[in-house]
Amino acid sequence: EYSAASPDLNATESVWSWMNHFVQQGCPNSQRRLEQLVTDAWHRIPQTVIRGYIHHIQDMCDQVVSNQGWARVG
């Protein structure tokens, strides 16, 4: 279950998670490599992924409102 204050209800957190996964896959081994991977992640995240996160948030918010502050998952 998610409370109304859950970070899972924040599309920005989901984008950061996607970017973190992208960066980790690139095996950063220096500050310069890390910075390049973060920049690459920012430019490569598909708009469809971002829209998916936003639509998911709307669905979850609708559930939270319906359930008076809690979303039922599953």
Side-chain angles (χ1 to χ4, degrees), residues 25-40:
Q25 294 283 64
C27 302
N29 55 7
S30 68
Q31 182 69 32
R32 183 175 178 190
R33 177 73 177 145
L34 175 62
E35 290 172 6
Q36 184 60 54
L37 286 166
V38 169
T39 299
D40 289 349

Side-chain angles (χ1 to χ4, degrees), residues 29-60:
N29 55 7
S30 68
Q31 182 69 32
R32 183 175 178 190
R33 177 73 177 145
L34 175 62
E35 290 172 6
Q36 184 60 54
L37 286 166
V38 169
T39 299
D40 289 349
W42 181 253
H43 292 288
R44 291 184 186 182
I45 187 169
Q47 287 298 308
T48 55
V49 169
I50 294 170
R51 284 187 198 106
Y53 291 143
I54 292 168
H55 291 305
H56 174 75
I57 298 306
Q58 183 61 53
D59 293 343
M60 294 302 295

